[in-house]
Amino acid sequence: MIRFPNCRRMLLASLLLLAPLAQAAQTILVFGDSLSAGYGIRQDAAWPALLARRLQEKGLDYNVVNASISGETSSGGRSRIDAALATHSPRVVIVALGANDGLRGLPIAQLRDNLTEIVASAQKANARVLLVGQRVPPNYGSYALQFHKAFGEVARVRKTALVDFLLEGVATEPQLFQADNLHPTAAAQPLLLNNVWRGLAPLLQ
């Protein structure tokens, strides 16, 4: 009997050449501040880490890069968005900045301009964008209303998805905050994820 010892290897090589290349997982870039960076809690308990697990459970082929920095303002985000886009080439960008602008009472026009430029940069890089709204306490007076409206205005101008308020269902529950009364506890993170997910899910279709 004549043997062809190399036939199996040749057949396998041919099949590999003919098989379509597997696509790498697409990236979701979380671009926020301490509310998204997991300040004061374990990183694997923060909502971006919970998002990565939910995507895996649902069989959605995305990885999550959390580029959030505690203390970040919209100006800081504007200065680093291009580098983040170049490094990670995200399919989706979640912009969750502005809380520190509000707490410091920074000009709303500046917030609006910075968010507009961040979103525009992401869209120029062919990423879908979810803008996450923020609020400041009502004792900030008329500033509080104008501050919150800025997020909706940016979303309308840039025609992007919007989550009304990251801390919806959390902000009025003192037990869901750490001792500083600013940063949510680990127990609050699933609620934050659910708020983000409502705006994010349609972008993953």
Side-chain angles (χ1 to χ4, degrees):
M1 181 175 66
I2 300 174
R3 296 182 181 275
F4 299 93
N6 292 323
C7 285
R8 183 175 296 178
R9 279 178 289 181
M10 291 173 63
L11 178 60
L12 178 59
S14 298
L15 291 174
L16 289 173
L17 288 171
L18 291 173
L21 295 175
Q23 291 186 343
Q26 299 182 93
T27 296
I28 297 173
L29 178 67
V30 181
F31 201 67
D33 50 35
S34 58
L35 298 177
S36 302
Y39 178 89
I41 61 176
R42 296 193 328 270
Q43 294 300 298
D44 62 356
W47 73 260
L50 302 184
L51 171 61
R53 290 203 283 275
R54 178 173 293 186
L55 292 165
Q56 185 177 32
E57 290 166 359
K58 291 183 174 294
L60 297 172
D61 196 19
Y62 288 88
N63 61 64
V64 177
V65 172
N66 190 359
S68 302
I69 297 178
S70 293
E72 184 75 290
T73 61
S74 62
S75 294
R78 181 175 179 174
S79 71
R80 65 187 180 91
I81 184 61
D82 289 337
L85 293 169
T87 299
H88 302 293
S89 300
R91 181 71 181 98
V92 178
V93 178
I94 301 174
V95 180
L97 288 167
N100 289 311
D101 296 62
L103 291 175
R104 299 175 190 180
L106 298 179
I108 292 171
Q110 176 181 298
L111 168 68
R112 189 185 302 111
D113 289 347
N114 289 334
L115 291 177
T116 298
E117 288 302 314
I118 291 169
V119 172
S121 292
Q123 292 174 329
K124 186 177 179 181
N126 297 316
R128 298 176 179 177
V129 180
L130 173 63
L131 181 59
V132 179
Q134 310 285 353
R135 292 181 182 271
V136 292
N139 62 1
Y140 277 66
S142 61
Y143 179 91
L145 177 61
Q146 296 303 315
F147 172 82
H148 181 63
K149 284 176 60 178
F151 295 88
E153 290 166 358
V154 173
R156 283 193 298 274
V157 169
R158 296 305 310 174
K159 296 180 173 58
T160 192
L162 174 71
V163 167
D164 185 65
F165 184 30
L166 177 62
L167 298 181
E168 186 72 38
V170 174
T172 57
E173 304 297 331
Q175 73 277 12
L176 293 178
F177 285 86
Q178 300 174 43
D180 62 8
N181 294 318
L182 291 173
H183 296 97
T185 62
Q189 301 301 309
L191 299 176
L192 271 61
L193 172 60
N194 286 340
N195 291 337
V196 172
W197 185 258
R198 284 193 288 272
L200 177 63
L203 302 182
L204 305 180
Q205 304 300 323

